[in-house]
Structures are given as C-alpha cells and as structure tokens.
Amino acid sequence: MKSLDRIIRSVQAFGRELSRKAVDAGPRTPAVGIALGGGFARGIAHIGVLKVLEEEGIPVRFVAGTSVGALIGAVYCSGVSAAELEKVAHSCRFTTFARWTVSRYGFASNDRMVTFLKRTLQVTNFEQLQIPLGVTATDFNSGEGVVFHSGSIIDPVRASCAYPGMFLPVEIRGRYLVDGMLSHPVPTQPLLEMGAERVLAVHLKGQWAKDGAPRHLFDVIGQSFAIAQDQMSHLWRSAADVLVEPDVASFAYDDFKHAAELIRAGEVAMRKALPEVRKWFETPVETPAPAKSRRVVARPAPMPAD
C-alpha cells in the first residue's frame, strides 16, 4: 500500500510540474523595468511617473536608479506607495539629506541620508525588497560603473547620490564611489541585465543655470556634467523602449520646495507616454522571450555581495 501511495504522489507531482510548465510556456505580459535618472530635487518628478503607473495598473517588475533615482527607487521598491512618497517629498529639503562640511573632497556630506533612509525604508537589504532594484555608482579611481543588487541598501544609495565636487565620496569595501550618473546617467542597461523585457527610461533634462549665467560653483560643475551626459546619451537611449522626459528645466537643482509642481511634471510626461506603454500589453510575449534586437553595451560586472 505504501508503494502504491508513493506512485500516486509521484504521478500527481509529475502532473503539477507539467501544468506549471504549460502555464510558463504560454503567452504572458512582458517584464517591465523602469530606469530612474539623476537630477537632485528635480528627481521628485519620478514620483509623478510612478503615481501614474500605479493608477493605470501597469506592473513594474524591475527598477534601476541613479542618484536621486536610486533614492526614490529604493524607497518605492521597499513597499512605500507613490502616494506615500508624495507626502514624504513635501517635507524634504536639502538639509534632510546633507550637511555642509569642510573637506578637501567636497563641500557637503550626505550622511544625513542614513537617518532619512532608516526612517523611510520598509526594509534594510536588497534581498527583502518587494521589487528587484539596481543601484548604480561609479568607482572614483577606475571610472567603472558599479551596480548593487544585494546586501545593505543604505550605503549604495548614498554612493549613488555622491555628486562629485559637492558630496564626499562614499567608501564601500575599500572602493571610493561617487554618483552613478557618471557611468549610468539613466540606468537602462542594468535593467536589461536584471531581466527586463521592456524598458521605460525617465530622463530629467534641465539646465543648472536657468538664466544662462552660473550662480555659483555648483552650477558650473552641474552644467559641465549635464553637457557631458548629453554627449553620451546614445548609450542609454539605445537600451530604452520608451523615453519619458518631464519638463523640469524651469526648476533649480535644489528646488525641494516645489515638490507639487515637480510631481505634476512627472505625471504629465508619463500620461503622454501611456499609449506607447499600453502597446506592450496588447500582444503578450512568449516564454522564453526572444532576444532583444537592439544593441547591448557591455558594462563591468557588479560588485560582489558581502
């Protein structure tokens, strides 16, 4: 009798496996990834993009973020909704994340971000996130792009936000890391490597010196980096299926007090892109997904976990 029971259980297990494979092999919706670029306070516009995606029921399977995109992406992937993020954004100021300091490496430290993230994140490690996340940074010595997927979230986000010249570099496992924008201005390529089949790229294009004349050293540094990023934009644009560019040119890099307008700019831009995004779901993809036809740019391997 026991032998018969074992045979029956084996047959049942085999049947369940066949059923699972049949489901997996059938048509399904594509795995959507969203790449959130940098822009300091202008990054609040990302919340408007996420808000529209939530309202329209568009599932986000992967997120990759650079600089403020990494900050917002980490909080969102930890389980904080777009509506909750909106409330948080209204209370943020420069001093929420940074403090002025005297150092040969920069004028400010973003160590206050530790307190903010501990208070705002729902989890502490990448492995606990509800949505898989990639956080980009740049190795200051080698210039290599680094993408974090595991371990503690807080220091990688700080490193991703360490804007050169303004914020001090962040040391992680013996490497000095600065802003991910230097290697991944909009992290579309990391999303492909994570498994995304459709990539939505959010680019926050804007002039640091709004009236043409720089106000101070940070405008000079920021505008110089913005020019360099424009010159290399073809690298990340080639990996994007849909590009969303909120109109944030009229906002300064530190315009945290204009959170409502920035969120609205993100909403408007995302709603304009919705028709293209909805097309992704009109024709379900097959399993396994076909290889992507667009060019894939090789990147250095991610840093190993602790």
Side-chain angles (χ1 to χ4, degrees):
M1 182 65 68
K2 290 183 179 179
S3 298
L4 179 59
D5 288 341
R6 285 198 296 269
I7 293 172
I8 292 174
R9 287 196 296 271
S10 297
V11 171
Q12 289 173 336
F14 182 68
R16 287 194 298 269
E17 181 66 15
L18 286 178
S19 298
R20 185 187 66 78
K21 289 183 177 180
V23 171
D24 289 347
R28 57 181 175 76
T29 57
V32 175
I34 180 169
L36 304 176
F40 208 38
R42 293 167 178 158
I44 294 173
H46 289 320
I47 299 173
V49 173
L50 294 169
K51 185 177 177 181
V52 171
L53 292 174
E54 279 190 2
E55 291 173 352
E56 298 298 322
I58 295 172
V60 176
R61 292 274 301 278
F62 302 96
V63 176
T66 288
S67 198
V68 66
L71 176 67
I72 290 175
V75 176
Y76 186 73
C77 291
S78 77
V80 177
S81 69
E84 292 169 325
L85 268 171
E86 186 171 7
K87 293 178 182 178
V88 172
H90 284 290
S91 64
C92 289
R93 295 294 183 268
F94 177 84
T95 53
T96 303
F97 310 105
R99 61 180 176 83
W100 298 111
T101 187
V102 178
S103 171
R104 57 181 175 175
Y105 299 127
F107 292 94
S109 168
N110 64 11
D111 55 1
R112 286 181 177 172
M113 196 174 291
V114 175
T115 301
F116 172 81
L117 288 171
K118 285 182 176 179
R119 182 177 68 247
T120 311
L121 287 170
Q122 303 297 299
V123 300
T124 58
N125 296 319
F126 282 89
E127 291 81 0
Q128 299 170 314
L129 294 170
Q130 294 184 12
I131 301 172
L133 171 71
V135 170
T136 70
T138 306
D139 187 305
F140 178 77
N141 292 307
S142 68
E144 292 179 342
V146 178
V147 184
F148 291 90
H149 299 290
S150 62
S152 175
I153 300 171
I154 292 176
D155 278 347
V157 170
R158 288 184 59 223
S160 188
C161 295
Y163 195 85
M166 177 180 286
F167 294 116
L168 278 60
V170 176
E171 182 184 358
I172 300 179
R173 298 195 288 276
R175 300 176 77 175
Y176 287 91
L177 303 172
V178 293
D179 205 309
M181 69 173 186
L182 295 175
S183 52
H184 294 286
V186 182
T188 54
Q189 181 64 31
L191 282 177
L192 296 180
E193 295 166 357
M194 292 168 68
E197 295 163 336
R198 298 290 184 271
V199 173
L200 179 70
V202 186
H203 179 223
L204 304 173
K205 182 177 176 60
Q207 300 294 318
W208 277 61
K210 293 187 294 183
D211 59 358
R215 297 172 297 167
H216 41 58
L217 173 63
F218 299 134
D219 273 356
V220 175
I221 296 173
Q223 185 63 13
S224 298
F225 278 119
I227 293 169
Q229 287 174 23
D230 283 344
Q231 297 300 314
M232 61 183 290
S233 65
H234 64 282
L235 296 176
W236 60 263
R237 286 176 186 264
S238 65
D241 292 290
V242 170
L243 174 62
V244 177
E245 290 190 297
D247 184 6
V248 296
S250 62
F251 298 95
Y253 77 96
D254 54 353
D255 263 348
F256 289 97
K257 62 183 178 294
H258 293 298
E261 297 97 314
L262 285 162
I263 292 171
R264 179 59 182 163
E267 291 182 67
V268 170
M270 186 63 239
R271 292 208 171 275
K272 288 182 180 178
L274 272 179
E276 288 300 314
V277 173
R278 287 198 181 102
K279 289 179 183 178
W280 297 345
F281 302 93
E282 292 174 0
T283 305
V285 298
E286 299 290 333
T287 304
K292 299 184 80 66
S293 59
R294 55 178 175 270
R295 180 169 60 90
V296 175
V297 182
R299 296 288 184 187
M303 291 181 73
D306 286 330

